[in-house]
Amino acid sequence: SIIMGSTSDLPVMEKACKWLEQCEIPFEVNALSAHRTPAAVESFAKEAKDRGIKVIIAGAGMAAALPGVIAASTSLPVIGVPIKGMLDGLDAMSIIQMPPGIPVATVGVNGAQNAAILAAEMMALGDEEIARKVENWKSTLGEKIEKANKELAEIKDYRFKC
């Protein structure tokens, strides 16, 4: 499940959606605020497991309470995505300061795609099909770099000669 504090977070969180779509891993998307809709967030978290959710990706900027509030109300793994806000994302880094007993895995600022990959890796521990999809996707990572390196080597511009 992907949840964000506001639809203004969608430009960041859609990177997780796109990666999961590309890998054909089903997911849901919600916008609920830990501060403006706390009862709805608590219900969401408490009911997620019964709805078949395996991992929750929670994006939050500013005070970034959403991932922690969700983690406090569920035994499912929660991955926090700090979203760059007013203080270049430093305000959202409170996600990394969770108290003992309420863990939230945290990816880098605006790292929604990495959150999706991490969620898939978690689910892959008990799902061979997802494991295969993650392995196939990861096997392509070097291709872009190899292609870029080959193109760089073909540049005849004198500025690149040492």
Side-chain angles (χ1 to χ4, degrees):
S1 181
I2 297 171
I3 185 168
M4 61 202 88
S6 161
T7 55
S8 66
D9 299 330
L10 189 56
V12 170
M13 298 307 289
E14 73 181 346
K15 294 171 188 159
C17 298
K18 287 179 181 178
W19 190 88
L20 291 168
E21 283 176 352
Q22 175 187 340
C23 291
E24 299 177 341
I25 298 172
F27 63 97
E28 66 178 21
V29 179
N30 291 283
L32 296 170
S33 170
H35 299 109
R36 295 176 293 234
T37 59
V41 169
E42 185 177 8
S43 292
F44 163 85
K46 287 182 176 180
E47 297 166 4
K49 192 172 189 177
D50 289 340
R51 291 194 332 270
I53 301 303
K54 304 290 185 210
V55 180
I56 298 171
I57 299 170
M62 298 165 82
L66 186 62
V69 169
I70 291 170
S73 297
T74 185
S75 60
L76 294 173
V78 177
I79 303 169
V81 179
I83 295 178
K84 185 175 181 178
M86 300 175 72
L87 301 174
D88 282 339
L90 291 176
D91 46 344
M93 291 306 290
S94 61
I95 297 169
I96 65 172
Q97 297 296 330
M98 296 303 301
I102 311 295
V104 172
T106 307
V107 295
V109 174
N110 290 354
Q113 180 179 344
N114 273 353
I117 296 165
L118 181 57
E121 289 174 337
M122 289 174 175
M123 292 185 297
L125 294 171
D127 187 316
E128 297 273 334
E129 184 178 345
I130 292 176
R132 182 185 48 76
K133 290 175 181 182
V134 171
E135 288 170 13
N136 288 344
W137 183 83
K138 281 196 164 189
S139 72
T140 68
L141 289 177
E143 293 172 10
K144 287 182 182 179
I145 298 300
E146 290 169 4
K147 181 181 177 199
N149 191 44
K150 184 178 179 182
E151 290 170 357
L152 185 61
E154 293 173 1
I155 294 175
K156 304 293 185 211
D157 192 323
Y158 70 90
R159 291 177 289 173
F160 294 108
K161 293 182 181 178
C162 296

